[in-house]
Every structure is written in structure tokens, then in C-alpha cells.
Amino acid sequence: MEKNQKVTVLDIDFDNVTQDDLVDQLNQCIHSKQKIFVVTANPEIVMYANQNPDYMDILRKADYITADGIGIVKGARILGTPIVERVAGYDLMLELLKKADQFKYSMYLVGAKEEVIVKAVKKIKKEYPNITLKGYHNGYFKLSDKEVMGKVLQAQTDIVFVGLGFPKQEKWIQNYLDQAPKGLVMGVGGSFDAFTGTVKRAPKFIIKLNLEWFYRLIKQPTRFKRMLMIPKFLIAIYKEKRKNI
């Protein structure tokens, strides 16, 4: 596994790497049958980790943590340790699907509503026909459910995408990797919804303007409470900056 330069943002060590380089590194890891834990962290995850030591401990076991969210990129810049670019979880998932199709990797999907995960399976089979999709399960189960865990472990796939939302998905991934012999496992949050068109992603020009968060807020007003974490994150960043002066 290649060692990337790290950038620390509120006690979380992010990989300072471009998406293209990261995808190449992850592909090498999958090819050599390693176990890889990938976290795509946004400001909400960073703040949650700082308030929940058990979750912070899980993140510190991750092999790669990417800056998923312009807030992380801006926070790193404020701290004087810029991150080369944002690597969004959804975009990373799409790139890994391309690699999986190219190299004929096997895969398992966990998460989302039943109708969404079924749509995701159908789309993968159609658009990435060389992927061996060994199974899937919706996200409505308890962390202690041994049957779901057993099925995924038995499949021994090269890649497992877990869309349970944080912190549940990272807790499940940790339990899985404690028992799995190989494979890349990544929490993808609500990416299955975006992948299937159940939830529309922002147009490209809005993403380039770093306003995707605003687009999502307009489309999903229920996210307002979650969005309040962004100003709290920025306040914490400026406090951290003052400590370092």
C-alpha cells in the first residue's frame, strides 16, 4: 500500500491525493488481495468523530480517508495545510465501478431501501457487465444481524459498497473486516440513491461552483438540521487555527 501525504483536519488524517491517483492505488490493493477500509469524510462526520471517541477509533483504523465535501478542503486551507482536491464518495464509487468492470472484480452491495438496491443491481449488471455481482441486501437490518454479515463474508468479494449512512456503515465495516480475508470496503452513504436516480445529484456546473450542498438543501429541506453542522465545523476550524498560532 502506498503511503500518501496526510493532512490533519480536527484530528482526522486525510489522504492528500488526487482522485485519479487514489483510484490507481486502490486498484493495486484490490489486485493484490489486500484488505482496505476506505472512508469518505465530510464535515458532519468529522464533527461526529470529535464528539464520539468510539467512532473516532474506527476512523483511525481506516486505510484511506478522503475529503468528501468542499468544507473539508476549505478547512484544510484555513489551517494552512491545503488538500489537493475534493474526492467525493459518489465519484469514487463510480470510478471503482469502472475499474471493477475493467478487471472483472466481484462485488457485494449493502444498503438503501429494497427498491433502490434492486435498481442499483440492475443498473450495474447493464452498464458494468464484467462485474461479478455476488449479492446484495437492503440497509434495513441491525448491526448485530449475523445472517447478513455471514452472507457477505461467504461471498468473499473484491469490493463491498456499504450504504448505511454514518456511523452505522463504518461500525459494520469494522466488524466485517475483522473477519474478512480480503477486499476493499467503503461506506457510500446515500450513493445508491444518486446512482439509481432516486435522488437527483446537482448539475455539474453547480458541483464545480462547490454549491452542491445548497442544491441538496433546496431539494431536501429536511437536511437543514444536518447543514447546521457546517458553521459549527468552521468555528472549530478557526479555533484550531488560533491554537496553532
Side-chain angles (χ1 to χ4, degrees), residues 163-177:
L164 303 177
F166 84 91
K168 185 178 178 180
Q169 62 191 18
E170 283 77 31
K171 291 178 180 179
W172 189 91
I173 288 169
Q174 183 187 36
N175 292 334
Y176 174 81
L177 286 175

Side-chain angles (χ1 to χ4, degrees), residues 201-212:
R201 202 178 181 205
K204 287 183 179 180
F205 78 93
I206 288 179
I207 294 172
K208 285 183 178 179
L209 290 171
N210 297 319
L211 291 173
E212 188 175 10

Side-chain angles (χ1 to χ4, degrees), residues 84-99:
V84 64
E85 71 178 24
R86 176 192 177 199
V87 181
Y90 180 70
D91 295 330
L92 185 56
M93 185 184 84
L94 293 183
E95 291 304 311
L96 288 171
L97 281 168
K98 291 176 187 174
K99 288 292 182 186

Side-chain angles (χ1 to χ4, degrees), residues 179-190:
Q179 304 169 69
K182 65 164 189 175
L184 179 148
V185 192
M186 183 173 96
V188 296

Side-chain angles (χ1 to χ4, degrees), residues 41-57:
N42 58 21
E44 195 178 357
I45 286 176
V46 170
M47 294 301 288
Y48 185 87
N50 274 270
Q51 294 159 8
N52 295 270
D54 290 346
Y55 186 66
M56 179 69 86
D57 288 342

Side-chain angles (χ1 to χ4, degrees), residues 77-80 236-245:
R77 193 178 301 145
I78 291 166
L79 292 170
I237 287 289
Y238 280 108
K239 283 182 179 177
E240 185 71 16
K241 184 180 180 180
R242 282 199 296 270
K243 277 198 313 185
N244 295 333
I245 292 174

